[in-house]
Amino acid sequence: MPKNTLLNLSDISSLLKVNGEEFDKLLASAKQLRDEKLGNQIYLRGLIEFSNVCSKDCYYCGIRKSNKQVQRYNVSDDEVLASCRLAFDNGLGSVVLQSGECSSPAFVTRVDRLLKKIKQLSGNRLGITLSCGEQSPETYRRWFESGAHRYLLRIETSNRDLYYKIHPNDKKHSFEHRLEALYYLKYTGYQTGSGVMIGLPFQTTEHLAGDLLFFKNIDIDMCGMGPYVEHENTPLEGCRHLLRPKKERFELALKMIAVLRLMMYDINIAASTALDAIDVFGRVKAVAAGANVVMPNITPAKYRSNYLLYENKPIGNNDVLADIALLEQRIKVIGNEIGYNQWGDAKHFFKKNER
Ligand code: 5AD
């Protein structure tokens, strides 16, 4: 199996098509490379989905603006801080603050305030990743200065034509603007993450191979990608008949993770929650395919049923610590351990800044 060699589009497409024994080998070699280069520790981030208010209308997403069935919420500052305290006290090392996309001054100020308070409550020791969509360069800078050091912004697909099949074609959903946002994030100094959905209608294996080359070209530090999963109250529901079977989407997602690990050995790759919507062991299987980050959901339980991006999204246990204990047990079974009390930053980020 090639290791961190320069794979071209056709090599990557071939790898994404392997089955059977070749599939097992691909996943095992990615895990081996991860263990060899990064050690066997898996990092946790406590995920707080702090608001589902969204100004966008992405055709695939259950919390899109036009879905009137969703009860909109904002987790209160106190509740967000209590979740952060729980993460900190239990050694998670860092949190991810995720929300629908909103860029009102009140929202920007609120996130800024939360960042400062989280830093304060943990004596600067809790790491913070943001995942709040496209914002202005000024907002990105402001949040960076207030303590966020990593930012996730999925490109969703790097193919412009496909992008407009899954988003409205208007100013609010501009492909170019999204690319620019990724550029601003990097330029501001964030460890920058991106990702795609796998198994979208109209998406080919070559599109996915192109996505992996895109990540390499823009030199991401982190990646989160998972299977596309249907949601009945979205426009893409009408394309259900075009989809690959769920199992195939799931296996394709594992192959994407494995091949990306071979292409970019020192980035952080998350085992996304959507994998668990298809297979109860989804995220652990992703760790066994080369992922090194898992994001247990620590959003207060009462809000979770209103953050259903797709059907079957696991809403977890009322008892966050029980969820984490189970995860830890499963991760041990595949020979890895959890790296507690660490930020678990992407090695790639520091290496490239050394050059
Ligand atoms: N299936 C899978 N992933 C989805 N997301 C949104 N809707 C879906 C869906 N139907 C993902 C997007 C987004 C992330 C927060 O959730 O990739 O960036």
Side-chain angles (χ1 to χ4, degrees), residues 49 58-63 98-99 131 152-157 167 178 195-198 200 224-231 234 236 249 272 274-275 277 307-311 313:
E49 297 160 336
C58 308
Y59 294 154
Y60 45 85
C61 184
I63 64 164
Q98 189 179 87
S99 67
S131 177
L152 301 169
L153 182 69
R154 288 189 178 180
I155 188 74
E156 313 298 358
T157 170
H167 297 97
R178 202 156 186 92
V196 293
M197 284 173 289
I198 297 157
L200 287 161
M225 49 187 174
Y228 163 70
V229 183
E230 306 85 319
H231 188 294
T234 60
L236 281 195
R249 275 177 260 162
S272 77
L275 291 158
Y307 206 87
L308 295 186
L309 307 176
Y310 41 81
E311 68 190 19
K313 182 169 178 271

